[in-house]
Amino acid sequence: MSAPVLYIVIPCYNEEKVLPITSKLFLDELHTLIHKDKVDDSSKILFVNDGSKDNTWNIIKELSKIDNHFSGICLSRNRGHQNAVLAGLLDSKDRCDITISIDCDGQDDISAMENMIDQYMSGNEVVYGVRSKRDTDTFFKRFTAESFYKLLNAMGAEVVYNHADYRLMSSRVLNEFAKFGEVNLFLRGMVPLVGFKSATVYYERHERIAGESHYPLSKMLALAFDGITSLSVKPLSLITGFGFLVSCLSFIGVIYAIVSYIIGDAVSGWASMTCIVCMLGGIQLVCLGVIGQYIGKIYMEVKRRPRYIISERTF
Ligand code: UDP
Ligand code: MG
């Protein structure tokens, strides 16, 4: 089998501090891979500028002039990490044999790519990059991130533990993946749904080379919630079960109240009444909120809006 054509897909949002450093690392790695005959010389590094407000797109354009292994597409506005990765993957699927998606901040170990390609050559169509340890993350980041994976799995959204969006996908898988038309994206939960033979490659996660994370706690929570509601309807059945339980308890309460009334033991229970009313009100609002989230998603899905719009490209 001849060496596959590889496209390295890299989403970038306001990364002017990082790109000049990491672009060299990516290029070095690609040169090494080409040199070792692991990938074809027509392989490329595809930057996806996700509507950056800084100089990122200019840097990408400059890079593509310096070396023709660099290329870039520019989204018409900021669409978020998941949409940016999707744009890059779908745009490259017909130009290459394999894609590897990776963040541009140098946190994911670039040298794991070779291992991923070896796994592909031995018959795996999807290769997940998994963090072997998170020593460089703060305790808080590690704790929240690991809880995130546990919560997702408990809620029925199957994800590979400690796998973010560093993964190899073959063009065959991408062609099937392209048929998943949803606009609420949670790639790491969707890829396992496509199936095909897959493998895992472990790597150590480093610190960000420069700049700051775009995933503060609020965004992580939003992503977790998005992941759950995009991939699973378990919260709805939990709510139903919980509602059933509360109804049973209420029924017992009602009987108790009637019996107390009949035997003339009815006290002026203002406090207990208030507590019950407040509690039930709270539970109902939470449940309505969760159901509302699903309806909101359906609303976004039925519009069938494009998931990204490419406004410029370097090729
Ligand atoms: N990113 C993006 N669009 C966004 C936010 C982030 O394309 O709206 C990119 C960002 O440039 C980086 C990757 O997504 O390459 C991951 O972001 P970040 O490093 O901030 O997240 P963390 O690694 O801290 O979870
Ligand atoms: Mg990062």
Side-chain angles (χ1 to χ4, degrees), residues 79-234:
R79 293 290 291 126
H81 177 204
Q82 299 288 298
N83 292 68
V85 175
L86 181 82
L89 292 178
L90 294 188
D91 201 70
S92 16
K93 73 177 171 43
D94 299 323
R95 301 176 219 275
C96 62
D97 302 310
I98 45 175
T99 58
I100 294 182
S101 49
I102 183 168
D103 292 350
C104 79
D105 54 13
Q107 283 192 285
D108 300 322
D109 185 7
I110 298 173
S111 59
M113 284 188 197
E114 186 175 338
N115 211 338
M116 288 182 162
I117 295 164
D118 290 342
Q119 291 289 345
Y120 166 75
M121 294 309 275
S122 53
N124 294 293
E125 305 262 349
V126 181
V127 185
Y128 299 101
V130 172
R131 290 160 200 176
S132 53
K133 50 181 179 188
R134 286 178 169 267
D135 292 353
T136 53
D137 283 344
T138 59
F139 171 75
F140 184 70
K141 175 89 186 180
R142 195 161 65 216
F143 176 74
T144 48
E146 284 177 353
S147 315
F148 167 82
Y149 292 100
K150 287 183 186 140
L151 178 70
L152 281 173
N153 280 320
M155 284 294 166
E158 276 172 40
V159 286
V160 179
Y161 191 70
N162 262 342
H163 158 69
D165 283 304
Y166 185 17
R167 84 176 79 76
L168 178 149
M169 288 168 86
S170 70
S171 58
R172 193 150 83 101
V173 171
L174 280 171
N175 276 316
E176 298 306 324
F177 186 66
K179 296 176 193 157
F180 286 60
E182 57 221 76
V183 295
N184 294 286
L185 293 177
F186 186 64
L187 299 177
R188 68 191 83 163
M190 289 161 67
V191 176
L193 299 178
V194 186
F196 289 95
K197 195 161 180 262
S198 69
T200 309
V201 161
Y202 291 91
Y203 68 93
E204 278 177 30
R205 179 148 162 108
H206 307 299
E207 268 170 77
R208 212 172 209 286
I209 287 194
E212 269 161 32
S213 168
H214 300 98
Y215 273 101
L217 183 63
S218 58
K219 264 204 186 174
M220 279 227 304
L221 285 175
L223 185 71
F225 200 78
D226 237 22
I228 296 167
T229 52
S230 291
L231 294 165
S232 146
V233 286
K234 201 162 174 184

